[in-house]
DNA sequence: CGCTTAGTTGATGTCACTCAACCCTAGTGG
DNA sequence: CCACTAGGGTTGAGTGACATCAACTAAGCG
């Protein structure tokens, strides 16, 4: 049973069994973290590279007046701070959104992996480039999409990313997310997100019920004009 | 006289004279491109890595209804498509904004550089990570900053980035940019950008006159709450 | 000297925000 | 076993920032 890191990186490069073993061995250190807890703070210079294995986390920044902007969602398989070998210090913070399982490996160990395995090196590079592609797509959304399509687009993205690491249950994907977190991601107010979700539920885009779920991804994608190309996932997996 | 590529990458890693020579040699192919011309289109799989030497370019995407969202500004020294070795195809387009000088190197040649020089490898990695950090900061702006601070913030960023590659003239930086381009960057309308710029000029944040310039960066930074940390520039340069 | 592109101005409209209240559920402690 | 609390969700009223539309000016340019 591969961990979600392995499962994700397979999309970036074909990994040999040895690669996969080396990866899981490096990230041996496991830690259960409760919800709403900072993993890394802006300004830190972490000595370890972290990854989410189970649960959900986010990158975020706070503005001087205390408002929060979420900059990335970290689903199982995502790395928190791959850049730490190159950039001097964190320019944002990372926190869990729900109780999560976090693994970590010493920076040096990751550098070794990259040096010895070209496939792993490419896969990790791929991971950071996909992060960047997601940011670009978010900017398009924030700049040019109305709120309802923005919300639908985010739900599509999360559903696809979660199912790419095996988090879908009989065709549907559960999103254990508060409306405030969606609002802080899209630059909207929680009140407005609430009204948008009601409309989406009313039109049958997402199932009724308090718990947020994506069931009919086709329908939602069509409405959101969602094109998964920017996620650069391997269609064969 | 180093090219702007060299000048930029020095911020990412200490380059030996040999590194710098190898880099300029690889990007020997030069091309003058008129304004408003696509360099690379969404869906392309370019065989060459491009960089801007003089002028100004942008990454952008078009929405289904034909609106444009600019996703990045490429100033002299910036690379257009470093990711092309890892990602399958371009998920966005790149176009010049003003007449520009573009250099290019075959993909294979760049991979060689990375394989032979650890310093260059780190510098190029740094360049893509800085691109990512800039995207994160833009998202914060679009989500949580009002239009006037957003505009001011963008002007600060461009002024700093341009002076980091030696484009400042006696303390001021000229921004050869239309108001529509600013609008398409920040997700605003051109009309609104116009009114914001008038206010900024009125308050003395930027000099009066049709040509857009940044003169008093301190003043503008304070207003925009601009913190250059996310650009990860080497303060010694 | 007409044409085009960028910038400017005013009037009007609307999407999304803010504020404030209220509901519901789950958890907690007496 | 029930009152209390807290967090998330829901609702309504009022407001504001920014969009849209349309017209006009100024500055290149063939």
């Amino acid at each position: 049973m591969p961990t979600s890191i392995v499962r994700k990186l397979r999309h970036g490069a074909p990994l040999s069994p040895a690669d996969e073993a080396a990866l899981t061995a490096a990230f041996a250190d496991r830690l259960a973290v409760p919800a709403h807890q900072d993993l890394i703070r802006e300004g830190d210079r972490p000595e370890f590279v972290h990854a989410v294995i189970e649960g959900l986390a986010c990158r975020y920044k706070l503005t001087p007046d205390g408002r929060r902007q979420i900059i990335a969602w970290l689903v199982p398989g995502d790395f928190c701070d791959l850049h730490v070998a190159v950039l001097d210090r964190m320019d944002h913070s990372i926190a869990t959104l729900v109780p999560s399982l976090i693994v970590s490996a010493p920076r040096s160990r990751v550098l070794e992996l990259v040096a010895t395995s070209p496939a792993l090196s490419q896969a990790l590079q791929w991971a950071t480039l996909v992060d960047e592609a997601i940011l670009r797509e978010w900017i398009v959304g924030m700049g040019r999409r109305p709120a309802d399509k923005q919300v639908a687009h985010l739900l599509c993205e999360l559903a696809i990313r979660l199912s790419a690491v095996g988090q879908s249950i009989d065709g549907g994907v559960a999103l254990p997310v508060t409306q405030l977190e969606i609002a802080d991601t899209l630059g909207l107010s929680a009140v407005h997100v609430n009204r948008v979700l009601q409309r989406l539920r009313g039109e049958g885009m997402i199932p009724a019920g308090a718990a947020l779920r994506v069931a009919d991804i086709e329908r939602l994608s069509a409405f959101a004009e969602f094109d998964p190309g920017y996620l650069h996932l391997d269609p064969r997996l």
Side-chain angles (χ1 to χ4, degrees), chain A:
Chain A
M1 160 74 187
T3 73
S4 36
I5 314 185
V6 169
R7 191 142 180 187
K8 176 175 180 196
L9 289 187
R10 279 177 183 163
H11 284 273
L15 301 184
S16 72
D19 288 331
E20 300 190 350
L23 191 65
T24 18
F27 285 89
D29 193 16
R30 304 172 141 251
L31 186 61
V33 180
H36 308 297
Q37 187 161 319
D38 276 350
L39 296 175
I40 305 157
R41 293 238 175 72
E42 189 169 343
D44 282 2
R45 170 79 203 241
E47 272 309 301
F48 293 82
V49 175
H50 302 78
V52 178
I53 293 295
E54 282 170 24
L56 216 47
C58 69
R59 301 180 195 280
Y60 72 93
K61 283 197 190 194
L62 296 176
T63 55
D65 61 340
R67 292 143 60 97
R68 175 177 70 164
Q69 176 66 45
I70 292 178
I71 299 162
W73 290 71
L74 302 175
V75 307
D78 286 342
F79 293 87
C80 301
D81 40 16
L82 265 182
H83 38 63
V84 85
V86 176
L87 295 187
D88 40 351
R89 53 187 189 74
M90 292 292 294
D91 55 28
H92 60 276
S93 306
I94 298 182
T96 54
L97 294 172
V98 301
S100 303
L101 187 57
I102 307 295
V103 294
S104 59
R107 219 173 55 177
S108 56
R109 191 76 186 273
V110 176
L111 291 176
E112 270 173 43
L113 284 181
V114 168
T116 50
S117 163
L120 275 180
S121 166
Q122 172 163 351
L124 291 174
Q125 183 103 23
W126 169 84
T128 80
L129 290 173
V130 169
D131 281 359
E132 198 179 321
I134 291 174
L135 293 177
R136 282 194 292 263
E137 189 64 35
W138 282 24
I139 287 181
V140 175
M142 300 179 82
R144 294 294 178 223
R145 272 193 270 268
D148 50 358
K149 298 203 173 184
Q150 241 190 119
V151 171
H153 201 277
L154 178 63
L155 297 184
C156 286
E157 180 191 306
L158 290 174
I160 299 268
R161 286 172 62 192
L162 284 169
S163 36
V165 288
Q167 301 279 98
S168 63
I169 308 152
D170 67 278
V173 183
L175 301 172
V177 166
T178 71
Q179 299 180 348
L180 179 59
E181 285 154 3
I182 294 180
D184 280 347
T185 302
L186 303 177
L188 302 171
S189 71
V191 171
H192 197 58
V193 168
N194 179 296
R195 297 198 230 259
V196 165
L197 285 175
Q198 285 179 53
R199 187 150 12 116
L200 292 179
R201 283 199 253 258
E203 317 238 328
M205 301 279 190
I206 51 175
L212 199 54
R213 285 175 45 79
V214 173
D216 188 347
I217 248 253
E218 301 300 333
R219 183 92 190 283
L220 201 55
S221 299
F223 172 70
E225 291 158 352
F226 177 78
D227 172 2
Y230 71 97
L231 295 173
H232 296 276
L233 294 172
D234 187 333
R236 291 164 302 181
L237 297 182

